[in-house]
Amino acid sequence: MSNKVILDPFFRRMEEIFHPDDLRRLYACCEVAWGRNEPMPEHRVERERRDAFAVVAIRWRYGDLRELPKLRAILEVGGRHPSPADTAPGGIDYDYCRRNGIRVLSCARHSAPWWRRWRSAWPSTRRGRSPPATEKYLWHGNEDTFTLYGKTAGCIGVGGLAQALKPVLEPAG
């Protein structure tokens, strides 16, 4: 299996997406195609797409999915979920992805404002202090946080808050 990753996060910067340790691990386990803070030129896309098993990018602009025969994952890092209507000609064919085992992942913003406020306020609140007045971003915003993945959560009652919280927590398992 190919281990080539097209890493084309422009307009974001590499430092915004990856902690330096994670970026080193990515380069250690994968052949990274591009990985720069500027758009990947079309001639490089053309050269790399046949061997790519993953694409990490802001927008899908890599042609018809059938031109990426080894593709197994698309990671959208621009803060929105890609839709066929607003991507390059051809877009992302979600039915094709589902039929061919291609995961489409996104850091979509639909829950980000709520999640970010909770995440930045929760550690302070747990220690009996007021939440920070200003939010920190990137790695600094994660210094005193924790993950909900695999944790047990419960609500007493099934009122409006519990009903709104359930779909937010479900992806964390």
Side-chain angles (χ1 to χ4, degrees):
M1 179 172 169
S2 172
N3 71 343
K4 184 175 285 190
V5 175
I6 293 176
L7 182 53
D8 182 18
F10 187 80
F11 66 90
R12 297 253 188 244
R13 300 187 56 73
M14 299 291 287
E15 306 80 43
E16 292 176 326
I17 298 169
F18 294 100
H19 184 278
D21 294 341
D22 295 329
L23 193 57
R24 278 191 288 277
R25 280 195 296 272
L26 178 64
Y27 274 88
C29 73
C30 298
E31 179 186 345
V32 175
W34 199 245
R36 301 179 188 174
N37 290 329
E38 57 192 57
M40 186 174 186
E42 187 58 41
H43 73 276
R44 283 294 303 271
V45 170
E46 182 65 35
R47 188 169 81 199
E48 307 291 357
R49 81 171 116 217
R50 293 222 178 269
D51 293 321
F53 86 96
V55 174
V56 179
I58 298 292
R59 280 194 167 220
W60 184 259
R61 59 181 195 84
Y62 307 95
D64 187 309
L65 288 166
R66 289 156 194 83
E67 295 176 8
L68 292 95
K70 298 177 182 177
L71 189 65
R72 291 292 161 258
I74 299 168
L75 295 89
E76 195 287 331
V77 294
R80 58 184 203 61
H81 198 76
S83 85
D86 67 359
T87 55
I92 295 177
D93 181 342
Y94 290 97
D95 289 332
Y96 178 85
C97 289
R98 188 176 53 254
R99 285 190 314 271
N100 290 280
I102 300 169
R103 304 280 179 138
V104 181
L105 309 165
S106 174
C107 59
R109 64 179 175 247
H110 63 277
S111 61
W114 179 87
W115 186 261
R116 195 171 278 144
R117 280 194 299 271
W118 180 28
R119 189 196 61 184
S120 58
W122 178 254
S124 299
T125 305
R126 281 181 25 219
R127 290 188 298 274
R129 296 195 313 258
S130 297
T134 58
E135 180 180 4
K136 295 186 231 173
Y137 291 92
L138 306 176
W139 307 118
H140 299 291
N142 290 310
E143 289 172 347
D144 198 17
T145 61
F146 62 94
T147 182
L148 291 174
Y149 284 95
K151 303 289 191 276
T152 300
C155 294
I156 297 173
V158 289
L161 180 59
Q163 290 175 22
L165 187 58
K166 185 177 182 284
V168 173
L169 293 175
E170 282 176 338

